[in-house]
């Protein structure tokens, strides 16, 4: 999703009866307010979340929303689906129809999904360069060995995309269970990484994305990101 930024004069001329050339005078007369401050230049930027008031009338008031959901099995990571419930169906929020998913989970994968209406934010957190760790608990059909740890750290070649996966950290918890941390999210990445060893993933659960965890959030429930989590992600 692209976030759009406009110059103030262009935004006003497209959203009011005033023309581009009227805006300078409106500014001089202190008739335009951006996020509570009188506008000072025709070149000021209006982003998707700037609160714009002209002559006391609000022209734009779109608030950024950041939600964390504990996705149950069988719920699809999409905003519309004809067959299954979607993540939007199980979220209660007045702006939920503006939201998109920042990192999908497969139908049968459970756990942490982030949703937002802030395209710049979701793009940033999805970039491998941001190095935001996605942590998964994995249950396998065959026993794990220490070889997995070094192979995952080295990276696995994915022919379809012609890439080698970024270094991933695997902690073996028991013969059939492990915790895997990735900084990227290629299609079916976890299943394909274990597929390298012909080891089928029987259950997959995302427990954390960077500083955000599922602690205290029951399956099927969602909550807003806290200010602390938001600024911790911003620091990546
Ligand atoms: N990797 C997968 O294979 N599936 C998911 O749902 C998430 C990561």
């Amino acid at each position: 999703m692209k976030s759009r930024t406009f110059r103030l004069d262009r935004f006003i001329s497209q959203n009011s009866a005033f023309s581009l050339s009227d805006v300078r005078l409106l500014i001089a007369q202190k008739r335009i307010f951006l996020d509570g401050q009188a506008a000072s230049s025709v070149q000021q930027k209006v982003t998707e979340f700037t609160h714009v008031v002209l002559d006391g009338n609000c022209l734009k008031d779109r608030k950024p929303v950041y939600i964390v959901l504990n996705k149950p099995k069988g719920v699809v990571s999409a905003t519309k689906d004809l067959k299954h419930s979607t993540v939007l169906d199980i979220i209660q929020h007045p702006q939920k129809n503006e939201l998109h998913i920042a990192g999908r989970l497969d139908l049968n994968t459970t756990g942490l999904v982030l949703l937002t209406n802030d395209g710049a934010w979701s793009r940033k957190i999805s970039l491998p360069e941001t190095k935001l760790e996605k942590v998964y608990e994995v249950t396998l059909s065959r026993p794990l060995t220490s070889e997995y740890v070094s192979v995952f750290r080295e990276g696995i070649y994915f022919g379809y995309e012609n890439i080698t996966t970024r270094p991933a950290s695997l902690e073996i918890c028991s013969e059939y269970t492990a915790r895997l941390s990735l900084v990227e999210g290629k299609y079916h990445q976890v299943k394909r990484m274990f597929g390298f060893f012909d080891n089928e993933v029987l259950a997959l659960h995302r427990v954390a994305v960077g500083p955000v965890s599922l602690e205290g959030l029951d399956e099927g429930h969602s909550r807003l990101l806290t200010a602390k989590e938001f600024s911790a992600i911003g620091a990546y």
Side-chain angles (χ1 to χ4, degrees), residues 157-171:
Y157 179 68
F158 282 181
Y160 185 73
E161 296 94 338
N162 188 25
I163 55 119
T164 300
T165 57
R166 304 238 171 178
S169 140
L170 184 74
E171 184 193 335

Side-chain angles (χ1 to χ4, degrees), residues 3-80:
S3 59
R4 305 186 67 191
T5 301
F6 298 89
R7 257 173 70 130
L8 178 59
D9 52 357
R10 190 161 299 281
F11 177 83
I12 295 291
S13 66
Q14 286 175 356
N15 292 275
S16 75
F18 293 103
S19 71
L20 211 60
S21 56
D22 292 332
V23 178
R24 216 171 277 282
L25 185 61
L26 294 172
I27 292 173
Q29 293 173 336
K30 301 221 176 308
R31 291 166 65 182
I32 304 174
F33 284 79
L34 303 182
D35 293 329
Q37 301 282 324
S40 55
S41 155
V42 290
Q43 291 180 27
Q44 273 180 277
K45 297 277 174 261
V46 176
T47 72
E48 61 183 318
F49 300 121
T50 310
H51 180 81
V52 184
V53 173
L54 168 62
D55 286 340
N57 299 313
C58 180
L59 295 188
K60 197 162 78 63
D61 186 18
R62 188 162 176 256
K63 294 191 174 52
V65 179
Y66 307 94
I67 286 180
V68 50
L69 166 73
N70 187 347
K71 183 184 101 60
K73 203 169 175 167
V75 171
V76 71
S77 289
T79 51
K80 280 193 201 110

Side-chain angles (χ1 to χ4, degrees), residues 185-210:
K186 302 285 175 225
Y187 181 66
H188 292 328
Q189 180 158 348
V190 176
K191 291 171 188 159
R192 289 162 77 196
M193 287 173 74
F194 284 99
F196 177 83
F197 291 99
D198 261 335
N199 201 344
E200 190 190 349
V201 171
L202 298 181
L204 185 56
H205 181 62
R206 185 154 69 194
V207 290
V209 173

Side-chain angles (χ1 to χ4, degrees), residues 106-205:
D106 296 339
L107 187 64
N108 289 330
T109 302
T110 55
L112 199 157
V113 176
L114 295 172
L115 296 108
T116 183
N117 57 354
D118 183 346
W121 186 81
S122 57
R123 260 196 309 286
K124 179 186 168 190
I125 68 167
S126 306
L127 286 174
E129 293 74 23
T130 303
K131 296 206 167 72
L132 197 65
E133 285 191 330
K134 288 95 187 158
V135 184
Y136 296 88
E137 288 173 355
V138 196
T139 306
L140 285 315
S141 61
R142 300 202 298 127
L144 291 151
T145 66
S146 59
E147 194 196 345
Y148 287 59
V149 177
S150 47
V151 170
F152 284 9
R153 194 188 312 118
E154 291 301 309
I156 294 175
Y157 179 68
F158 282 181
Y160 185 73
E161 296 94 338
N162 188 25
I163 55 119
T164 300
T165 57
R166 304 238 171 178
S169 140
L170 184 74
E171 184 193 335
I172 297 179
C173 304
S174 72
E175 207 177 356
Y176 294 95
T177 62
R179 244 174 117 85
L180 177 65
S181 296
L182 304 178
V183 293
E184 59 194 341
K186 302 285 175 225
Y187 181 66
H188 292 328
Q189 180 158 348
V190 176
K191 291 171 188 159
R192 289 162 77 196
M193 287 173 74
F194 284 99
F196 177 83
F197 291 99
D198 261 335
N199 201 344
E200 190 190 349
V201 171
L202 298 181
L204 185 56
H205 181 62

